[in-house]
Amino acid sequence: MSLNRRDFLKNSAAVAAAGAVGITVPQEAEAAAKQAESKWRWDKAACRFCGTGCGIMLATKNGRIVAVKGDPAAPVNRGLNCIKGYFNAKIMYGADRLKTPLLRMNDKGEFDKKGKFKPVSWKRAFDEMELNIRKALKASGPEGVGVFASGQYTVMEGYAAQKMMKAGFRSNAIDPNARHCMASAVVGFYQTFGIDEPSGCYDDIELTDTIVSWGSNMAEMHPILWSRVTDRKLSNPDKVKVVNISTYRHRTSDIADIEIIFTPNTDLVLWNYLAREIVMRDDKEKIIDWDFVKEHMVFATGPANIGYGMRRKGEKSITPVNKDGSAGKYSALEMQTINKEMSKVLSENEGKALEPYGYKAGETMKHTAGTLKHWEISFEEYKKSLEPYTLEYTAKVAKGDPNEDIEVFKKKLQALADLYIEKHRKVVSFWTMGMNQHTRGTWVNTLSYNVHFMLNKQAKPGSGAFSLTGQPSACGTAREVGTFCHRLPADLMVKNPKHRKIAEKKWSIPEGTLNPVGNQHIMKIHRDIEDGVIKFAWVNVCNAYQDSASASHWIKAAREMDNFIVTSDGYPGISAKVSDLVLPSAMIYEKWGAYGNAERRTQHWRQQVLPVGDAMSDTWQWVELSKRFTVKDLWGEYTLRNGKKLPNVIKDAKKMGYDENTTMYEILYANKKAKSYKIDMKKFPQQGYDNSECLGDSRNVKGSDGEVFKGYGFMIHEYLFEEYASFGRGHGHDLAPFTTYHKVRGLKWPVVDGKETHWRFNVKYDPYAAKHAKEAGLKDFAFYGPLAKALAQGDLKGIKDKNKKSLKNKAKIYARPYMEPPEMPDKEYDTWLCTGRVLEHWHSGTMTMRVPELFRAVPEALCYMNPKDAKEKGFKQGSLIWVDSRRGKVKARVETRGRNRPPQGLVFVPWFDEKVFINKVCLDATCPMSKQTDYKKCAVKLYKA
């Protein structure tokens, strides 16, 4: 049989696809596929894209990835991939892939912030980084060195970055772009359970009777999970119900039995309405599982006047305040919204919801900075908080489609309540950015658990509130590794002295080294650059200057302030273009790595091919940087902005056997423990696979010292993973050994005695729950998370008894009121803007826009609009318009017939397209508790371009 390469690939792909869905393959095609694959090496890996965590199989030949298919042995996707997943290979080989460091220079070869990019060696790149880090430390101390980290780091990359930042530079100004995508879910978990991450798993989809999607277009954003939802629905269409709750209609609506279109921010009202239905109907219908609630729950609340996580009065960049209403670097229009951070007049709708808390409509609410503070209340106080959320109030405030009959909307709300309440009906509530990117994101996350808890439909097979994740390792690297500014590995916190001591001991650094102040979250890093505090910032595995709201401010600060910005990337996205130095990074299958997905599944892969050009992994870049700094350089005394002092720990370092010239490389990465992890190319999993960091490779890349890099000589990937894993083992966060993960298709932690945990907190499935329940004399559940498990007592208006009462092994049901976002449509800016993603493109499009097939499918971001709005404003299908807010404007084409179908008064614009730079338009308000940015709502005006 004679086949050309194209036929080889077509036959192989066809056979793989047919096999995945159980179709019989013709013998001739199967034979052709076998011939095509005869010289290919197949190996398992994880998909590069969303937090679903699909398994893929990669074929390599002659040092290049030649094919990708779904892994039929992977329990997440069972051989299927979405359209992006099938193009994992093509993201590696774009025409403008970065292959060498680039530095802005003048004609003399000197660094010049206004110069043009020119190629430099790795040594020159590290020389410039070292010089500018030293300048930043001298000017601002540890708070002057910042890192835009990522939920797309591998576990090893994130752990390596965190060690150097927190233990080396003593800076907590490292925060992942996961802050933008699931920080509200995290704080919701902490506040509710005392520990992070979902209690359930994807198996709930096949076991449930009801799937409710809250502000999550699962059909496009988590398509493999949606295929499982669709399969479940079609398996028993009369019994299984699907509900889509959203601010606009999209593909998730297509199989929904009920579609609820709500006004932005009023998901708070909807959850409270459901809780009210449960509580008020309980007297007659006995709905609440009181045995469960009394044994496992307490009721709680916190302050309502927490603001919107924007800049606050007195900050450098909004000083001075001018007569025209402008302030510092912000226009009068921008300040109209920012001023609400300090105070706002309560609307009629807010007044109604806030009456039980002691507020009235028309009053001015003065805001204090967001707080995690909360206290225990009685059930009667909780019940009082629900009184405003009648069916009439809820329908009036929440109905999002002005053309929908209100009585029809009411019937949908009642039907939704009935589905949750039905005695033996299992219910899973899924959400992603709609509930997380929210100025009250933490509140609405906690409200989701209320409904499930009262019905005893949480942490059980087929039932539970479940936060999906946007990025491939937002759980594994941002949350579990702890690359947030306030965290350490395995749920440890930098502000907790006991937790710092644990980390200092594991990292073999002196007690007192770690910085206890962790408040430089991702938006504060941007603001600190604009304020001139941060002088050095490094962008890792993300596109920080495209993915941040009110982006023009941060780009201007990066280009015009006295600072040095570095971006490590595979491609020249907006962040690279904004930077002073660009470093070429190895991409996912050019390095060893691990990800953690949304159901707590940790997955590993091996390096499949060599990086292109002189690109090197982010792990390597961090480890090489560590060689430039010594004990003397970094471990002296510093005074922080808040007046706290970081002590000089050099004497203590000497007592540990270090001297002033010992490098951070020797302490953090190449210590005795690290070197015990041997390279053994004759044994699994190393045998037959490249390892550029540990052994160097045939490219003979000249490294940070100007010499050919020959490798570290020990298995640094295994060392970094095992040291990180040691934080959680024995503490309800157990991970399996490094080698085990290379034998399996991922495991859901905690992994105890080799077995993964499907449902946490449930005695039947979770060994830690069984242990804690036995100790406490509990029967079925133990909510054993340790954080915030002693509370003062009070009512809806405040604390009445400061004596804290233990709630060990209990979770919390919260009273959280409805409040409006800080910016809503008005006469001048009359339209809601919502932003998000589309199926074909990943986040900022840095990779997927370079895949020809994906680019052709969706070559630009469109402004999805209701046809009636287009007609009233005189817009034609496909015409260019301005989308204009108080912060900036962009041109986009009108789309009235597309997959996304907004109601009148709302438009949707995806953010993947740097030419339709919609994040210039967005508001950088955040949830004051989680600091997660709200990209889902701001006010715009639309007019012809």
Side-chain angles (χ1 to χ4, degrees), residues 147-148 172-176 179-180 183 309-311 315 483-486 517-528 534 641 924 926-933:
V147 172
F148 294 104
N172 292 323
I174 175 173
D175 209 52
R179 177 73 70 176
H180 293 310
M310 295 184 285
R311 281 195 175 276
E315 290 185 14
T483 51
F484 284 96
C485 65
H486 63 290
V517 180
N519 61 11
Q520 287 175 281
H521 56 85
I522 206 160
M523 287 313 306
K524 187 164 176 57
I525 291 174
H526 277 303
R527 292 167 187 168
D528 278 352
I534 287 182
R641 275 181 290 182
D924 63 317
T926 70
C927 168
M929 301 170 79
S930 71
K931 317 302 182 189
Q932 180 163 353
T933 323

Side-chain angles (χ1 to χ4, degrees), residues 674-719:
K675 290 179 179 178
S676 70
Y677 290 90
K678 302 296 184 183
I679 295 290
D680 191 342
M681 298 301 291
K682 294 181 180 180
K683 289 186 178 180
F684 178 87
Q686 298 175 44
Q687 186 176 17
Y689 286 84
D690 291 307
N691 197 328
S692 293
E693 294 93 334
C694 301
L695 295 170
D697 59 51
S698 59
R699 296 174 302 152
N700 291 322
V701 174
K702 289 186 178 180
S704 64
D705 58 1
E707 301 296 323
V708 172
F709 179 70
K710 297 292 188 181
Y712 298 123
F714 59 93
M715 189 57 176
I716 194 170
H717 315 292
E718 186 172 9
Y719 161 62

Side-chain angles (χ1 to χ4, degrees), residues 232-249:
R232 176 62 184 140
K233 169 65 180 172
L234 296 177
S235 71
N236 192 346
D238 294 330
K239 172 69 172 176
V240 177
K241 301 299 179 185
V242 176
V243 183
N244 183 41
I245 303 174
S246 178
T247 58
Y248 61 94
R249 177 172 290 184

Side-chain angles (χ1 to χ4, degrees), residues 142 172 187 362 388 438 454 626 634 719 721 730 813 823 827:
N172 292 323
V187 181
H438 197 307
M454 287 192 287
S626 74
L634 302 181
Y719 161 62
F721 181 80
I813 293 173
E823 188 170 277
K827 288 182 180 179

Side-chain angles (χ1 to χ4, degrees), residues 268-269 271-277 279-280 299-302 304 349-358 377-390 393-394 447 450 454 795-797 813-818:
L268 291 156
V269 180
W271 278 116
N272 275 314
Y273 161 75
L274 294 174
R276 186 185 189 278
E277 284 291 293
V279 168
M280 301 305 173
F299 297 90
T301 194
N349 289 338
E350 287 177 311
K352 178 83 170 172
L354 287 163
E355 276 181 14
Y357 299 81
I377 59 173
S378 66
F379 170 71
E380 289 306 316
E381 285 291 297
Y382 173 68
K383 187 174 182 179
K384 191 190 299 182
S385 78
L386 300 176
E387 288 174 0
Y389 303 97
T390 62
Y393 172 81
T394 301
L447 289 177
N450 293 358
M454 287 192 287
D795 57 23
L796 292 173
K797 296 177 183 178
I813 293 173
Y814 281 92
R816 304 288 201 193
Y818 165 65

Side-chain angles (χ1 to χ4, degrees), residues 552-829:
S552 296
H553 273 276
W554 324 128
I555 289 174
K556 186 176 181 181
R559 294 304 312 130
E560 297 181 7
M561 298 287 289
D562 176 23
N563 54 41
F564 191 80
I565 311 296
V566 183
T567 290
S568 295
D569 206 338
Y571 291 104
I574 287 179
S575 296
K577 293 168 187 172
V578 164
S579 296
D580 302 302
L581 174 66
V582 181
L583 304 178
S585 283
M587 292 185 69
I588 177 169
Y589 310 118
E590 297 168 341
K591 56 195 178 187
W592 291 66
Y595 280 162
N597 81 345
E599 61 168 353
R600 294 172 279 108
R601 183 181 299 276
T602 307
Q603 302 180 81
H604 284 234
W605 65 89
R606 297 180 279 200
Q607 182 177 340
Q608 302 296 313
V609 291
L610 298 184
V612 302
D614 285 347
M616 294 296 284
S617 75
D618 292 78
T619 300
W620 180 87
Q621 292 173 36
W622 275 102
V623 174
E624 292 303 293
L625 182 66
S626 74
K627 294 177 178 179
R628 300 291 185 114
F629 295 91
T630 66
V631 167
K632 183 180 179 181
D633 294 331
L634 302 181
W635 286 357
E637 184 180 86
Y638 291 103
T639 301
L640 303 177
R641 275 181 290 182
N642 65 1
K644 286 189 177 181
K645 289 188 181 295
L646 293 183
N648 184 319
V649 295
I650 294 173
K651 285 185 179 179
D652 291 330
K654 290 178 178 178
K655 291 177 183 176
M656 297 177 73
Y658 308 132
D659 62 42
E660 289 188 345
N661 296 313
T662 306
T663 64
M664 292 298 124
Y665 170 69
E666 295 167 281
I667 297 170
L668 301 179
Y669 305 113
N671 49 56
K672 185 177 179 181
K673 181 169 59 174
K675 290 179 179 178
S676 70
Y677 290 90
K678 302 296 184 183
I679 295 290
D680 191 342
M681 298 301 291
K682 294 181 180 180
K683 289 186 178 180
F684 178 87
Q686 298 175 44
Q687 186 176 17
Y689 286 84
D690 291 307
N691 197 328
S692 293
E693 294 93 334
C694 301
L695 295 170
D697 59 51
S698 59
R699 296 174 302 152
N700 291 322
V701 174
K702 289 186 178 180
S704 64
D705 58 1
E707 301 296 323
V708 172
F709 179 70
K710 297 292 188 181
Y712 298 123
F714 59 93
M715 189 57 176
I716 194 170
H717 315 292
E718 186 172 9
Y719 161 62
L720 291 170
F721 181 80
E722 287 296 331
E723 185 178 87
Y724 146 66
S726 71
F727 280 85
R729 289 174 180 151
H731 305 287
H733 198 128
D734 307 61
L735 295 166
F738 178 86
T739 302
T740 298
Y741 285 110
H742 287 282
K743 297 176 181 177
V744 300
R745 264 56 176 187
L747 294 169
K748 297 186 289 287
W749 61 264
V751 181
V752 181
D753 297 328
K755 295 180 180 179
E756 62 182 351
T757 299
H758 299 293
W759 290 276
R760 296 166 84 202
F761 315 122
N762 188 317
V763 168
K764 290 182 182 178
Y765 307 99
D766 182 349
Y768 280 94
K771 174 176 175 265
H772 286 275
K774 185 176 181 181
E775 291 171 356
L778 301 171
K779 185 180 177 184
D780 298 317
F781 297 90
F783 297 100
Y784 51 80
L787 298 176
K789 284 302 181 78
L791 293 182
Q793 313 296 298
D795 57 23
L796 292 173
K797 296 177 183 178
I799 294 173
K800 304 301 178 187
D801 181 355
K802 293 183 179 179
N803 293 314
K804 291 189 175 182
K805 181 175 149 188
S806 172
L807 47 131
K808 190 176 180 182
N809 289 317
K810 292 191 175 187
K812 301 164 193 168
I813 293 173
Y814 281 92
R816 304 288 201 193
Y818 165 65
M819 289 190 73
E820 294 169 350
E823 188 170 277
M824 298 174 70
D826 54 24
K827 288 182 180 179
E828 185 176 1
Y829 297 91

